Amino acid sequence: EVQLVESGGGLVQPGRSLKLSCAASGFTFSNYGMAWVRQTPTKGLEWVASISTGGGNTYYRDSVKGRFTISRDNAKNTQYLQMDSLRSEDTATYYCARHPWEEVDYWGQGVMVTVSS
Amino acid sequence: DIQMTQSPASLSASLGETVSIECLASEGISNSLAWYQQKPGKSPQLLIYGASSLQDGVPSRFSGSGSGTQYSLKISGMQPEDEGVYYCQQGYKYPWTFGGGTKLELK
């Protein structure tokens, strides 16, 4: 059974950093692209970043480029999202996502990130 | 960025009724279109990928169609468990973008 379990969320002040982790199991992690998608009641679902199977290619939405870094450790079956210079508009539920091609076929349960002073 | 416009924003359907949800892309996306269902407090679940391919385990009453910029999701025979919010998503080019969602309720 495919499982994606996020951790690392919480309350953080604007300008500070937070690192999300996603532990994957139930599939060959190194064979799949991975992504982070976030959701808010006002903006809905927003793709944040993607990373290729080997980690050599990364992609970001413009609003997080230069502030967020997606990475993966295939030996640990884990992907990460390092979030720096956080802003209030980054407040959201963040989902770890597996994407075999152009869609997400499995989602984690989500982790809440709140950016507030 | 490619904009995805979903319609309607909400609808109510009777048991057994056939329901259609539309998704319009701001430019052609070559069938790189997925549909998801999300229930309250849960993560989205993939229903359809590649515009018309049914994800494993998804009931056959769900179907997807379309081409170019216009796509649709059809539920042939509304069931109580089909209540939720439905989203389309284009994977044609980054940034991936989602529609605003369609809330489906049982009448």
Side-chain angles (χ1 to χ4, degrees):
Chain A
E1 179 195 4
V2 171
Q3 284 200 314
L4 301 171
V5 180
E6 303 98 337
S7 60
L11 173 64
V12 62
Q13 292 179 327
R16 303 297 292 264
S17 299
L18 206 60
K19 186 172 185 177
L20 304 182
S21 299
C22 171
S25 61
F27 65 101
T28 304
F29 182 70
S30 58
N31 285 353
Y32 288 85
M34 298 296 294
W36 291 93
V37 178
R38 65 189 182 187
Q39 185 173 30
T40 65
T42 49
K43 293 184 185 177
L45 289 164
E46 281 190 334
W47 168 82
V48 175
S50 287
I51 188 166
S52 59
T53 53
N57 294 305
T58 56
Y59 310 87
Y60 300 92
R61 67 181 301 105
D62 282 350
S63 62
V64 308
K65 218 172 280 185
R67 300 188 298 121
F68 289 11
T69 304
I70 188 171
S71 62
R72 64 190 296 161
D73 185 336
N74 285 347
K76 294 184 177 179
N77 292 342
T78 302
Q79 75 154 343
Y80 306 96
L81 186 67
Q82 175 68 43
M83 303 185 292
D84 299 324
S85 303
L86 281 160
R87 305 168 181 167
S88 57
E89 54 264 36
D90 297 318
T91 294
T93 297
Y94 284 73
Y95 292 102
C96 174
R98 187 181 90 163
H99 73 87
W101 192 235
E102 300 165 331
E103 68 286 331
V104 172
D105 65 348
Y106 284 94
W107 302 67
Q109 83 283 359
V111 64
M112 188 67 204
V113 172
T114 303
V115 184
S116 174
S117 53
Chain B
D1 299 0
I2 299 175
Q3 291 204 353
M4 306 300 291
T5 304
Q6 259 184 264
S7 61
S10 65
L11 76 158
S12 182
S14 302
L15 196 64
E17 184 178 345
T18 293
V19 171
S20 283
I21 299 169
E22 309 294 320
C23 190
L24 179 67
S26 60
E27 61 183 83
I29 57 172
S30 296
N31 290 356
S32 298
L33 191 284
W35 290 97
Y36 303 89
Q37 175 196 64
Q38 186 175 31
K39 298 188 178 183
K42 299 291 188 181
S43 308
Q45 302 266 304
L46 178 65
L47 301 173
I48 301 286
Y49 63 95
S52 60
S53 295
L54 191 66
Q55 173 69 353
D56 289 346
V58 174
S60 58
R61 62 180 179 274
F62 291 91
S63 63
S65 63
S67 63
T69 61
Q70 295 184 295
Y71 299 86
S72 63
L73 173 72
K74 185 165 79 171
I75 307 172
S76 300
M78 174 76 180
Q79 298 299 308
E81 60 267 31
D82 297 337
E83 283 193 315
V85 181
Y86 291 79
Y87 298 94
C88 61
Q89 171 250 322
Q90 67 81 17
Y92 181 64
K93 62 169 74 164
Y94 289 119
W96 288 358
T97 45
F98 292 83
T102 296
K103 186 174 184 179
L104 175 61
E105 294 178 326
L106 184 64
K107 198 180 291 181

